[in-house]
Amino acid sequence: MDRARDAIGDAAELYVDANGAYTRKQAIRVMANAADLEVCWFEEPVSSDDLDGLRAVSESVYADVTAGEYGYDLSYFRRMCASGAVDCLQADASRCGGITDWLRVAAIAAGYGLGISAHCAPHLHLHAAAATPNLRHLEWFHDHARIEQMAFDGTAQPIGGVLRPDPDAPGRGFTLRATDIEKYRED
């Protein structure tokens, strides 16, 4: 984490994604050892299924604890919020039932006074995220963005850390590059 902080400088927020790799005590120790780095986002310090563990970490560290990217139904997100396990809820429309259910997840988070982070696939989430009052941020996951840019024309580009939907483009603002992706087709 020291190298990450050195690379981004003091002005940028430092986010850490543990991908559920730590035990509760390990996660707390890691963040205690990194206290001088001012990590403000701790994604999945323990398994997202360990709601008691997420809550214990959240209560013990400075960083906001977040999870939920693997959730696929509304009851999962409701349980996570009701347990007090996270400071911000994550959801991925490609996993949780599409844009309609992603908006429902955002409403559940808002009902608990939480923000929501649109996880992965930034172009998929862009328009819905722009219309979501409790949006914390839209994750720019490079692998997903790269694939979206390979498959579609009209994808948005971040400028100064901000993505803006094209107000003149219909729908999500992009069109399929059918000939470019034909080579990936499976029959």
Side-chain angles (χ1 to χ4, degrees):
M1 283 188 267
D2 290 322
R3 285 185 176 176
R5 174 51 75 198
D6 289 344
I8 65 172
D10 293 331
E13 292 182 340
L14 179 57
Y15 290 16
V16 172
D17 183 352
N19 212 15
Y22 296 124
T23 66
R24 298 170 193 188
K25 287 188 176 187
Q26 283 175 320
I28 293 167
R29 280 194 306 270
V30 164
M31 293 309 287
N33 290 336
D36 61 322
L37 302 177
E38 296 184 20
V39 174
C40 64
W41 180 268
F42 200 12
E43 185 174 325
E44 283 193 321
V46 299
S47 168
S48 56
D49 295 327
D50 183 2
L51 298 180
D52 291 335
L54 286 167
R55 186 176 49 257
V57 174
S58 179
E59 292 171 351
S60 301
V61 303
Y62 165 79
D64 286 343
V65 169
T66 183
E69 67 185 274
Y70 299 109
Y72 57 88
D73 65 18
L74 297 177
S75 61
Y76 169 91
F77 295 103
R78 191 174 294 111
R79 277 191 313 274
M80 188 170 278
C81 290
S83 73
V86 295
D87 299 299
C88 183
L89 192 61
Q90 290 181 291
D92 182 346
S94 70
R95 290 187 180 120
C96 74
I99 294 297
T100 300
D101 275 1
W102 186 89
L103 290 167
R104 290 177 176 142
V105 172
I108 291 169
Y112 285 91
L114 298 175
I116 186 164
S117 169
H119 186 75
C120 297
H123 299 101
L124 172 64
H125 294 93
L126 180 56
H127 290 76
T132 302
N134 60 323
L135 180 74
R136 171 85 178 260
H137 70 269
L138 187 148
E139 181 178 38
W140 183 265
F141 194 88
H142 180 70
D143 286 350
H144 288 259
R146 182 180 56 83
I147 291 168
E148 290 170 335
Q149 290 167 355
M150 288 172 44
F152 298 97
D153 285 322
T155 56
Q157 296 302 311
I159 298 171
V162 176
L163 284 174
R164 287 185 171 57
D166 181 347
D168 299 321
R172 290 200 185 112
F174 51 81
T175 55
L176 181 65
R177 290 182 181 164
T179 56
D180 290 351
I181 64 166
E182 183 63 31
K183 61 186 169 191
Y184 301 108
R185 183 180 175 145
E186 292 279 334
D187 290 324

